[in-house]
Amino acid sequence: MRTRCFLENGSRIRRKRLADAGPPSVADTARKDARYALTDLLDDFAACTDAGERLFVVAEIVRRSGELALLTHGTWAGGGKWLARRLEPVAPDLAARLDETAQAALRGAPAGLTSLVTEVLDAAGRRPGLGGIPPQRTA
């Protein structure tokens, strides 16, 4: 029983150290790919005329914008409620702004969401794929 308790404490300590150290650094290609995917979604959004399609494009834009913001800040990723929770310390108002502008976009006012996503892309570096050219791949 003591051995098991000792092992569990050791494991807990290692997990805490890992969490405190933060995620490993992200390859530049991963950041470029994430920016390209988000830029591509903005293009889809600008051309979207179907309300059903717009709903899913906007949902994907919101998720990927949050993920790119976390990637840009070098913090742990998160999904669902954890995406919002992880964003709070590094981009305190981003989740609320995404919510507000996404709702407006679904009601037919897309400019706010487009502008906000452009801010996220700019914070992550130059927008790749402008003119339909994907980011350069390395072998």
Side-chain angles (χ1 to χ4, degrees):
M1 185 69 138
R2 285 183 120 178
T3 304
R4 180 175 181 221
C5 196
F6 176 76
L7 291 174
E8 287 174 0
N9 284 337
S11 179
R12 191 173 316 135
I13 291 168
R14 281 191 299 280
R15 285 191 309 264
K16 179 160 178 23
R17 284 183 186 152
L18 179 63
D20 290 346
S25 59
V26 175
D28 197 41
T29 54
R31 194 176 351 271
K32 286 178 184 176
D33 288 349
R35 289 191 325 244
Y36 177 73
L38 190 51
T39 301
D40 188 51
L41 281 167
L42 273 184
D43 291 343
D44 289 348
F45 178 56
C48 194
T49 58
D50 180 82
E53 290 177 6
R54 186 180 311 112
L55 171 65
F56 292 102
V57 170
V58 167
E60 192 69 7
I61 286 172
V62 168
R63 182 181 66 81
R64 289 193 183 227
S65 294
E67 290 172 348
L68 182 57
L70 292 178
L71 191 66
T72 300
H73 286 89
T75 60
W76 290 107
K81 68 181 180 186
W82 284 103
L83 182 52
R85 291 177 182 182
R86 298 250 190 243
L87 278 172
E88 191 58 32
V90 296
D93 64 340
L94 183 59
R97 290 175 65 203
L98 283 167
D99 176 39
E100 179 182 323
T101 58
Q103 289 187 42
L106 292 173
R107 290 189 305 270
L113 182 61
T114 300
S115 177
L116 179 55
V117 172
T118 300
E119 285 179 36
V120 172
L121 286 164
D122 289 346
R126 188 181 72 77
R127 286 177 64 186
L130 295 177
I133 302 169
Q136 294 295 317
R137 292 265 183 203
T138 55

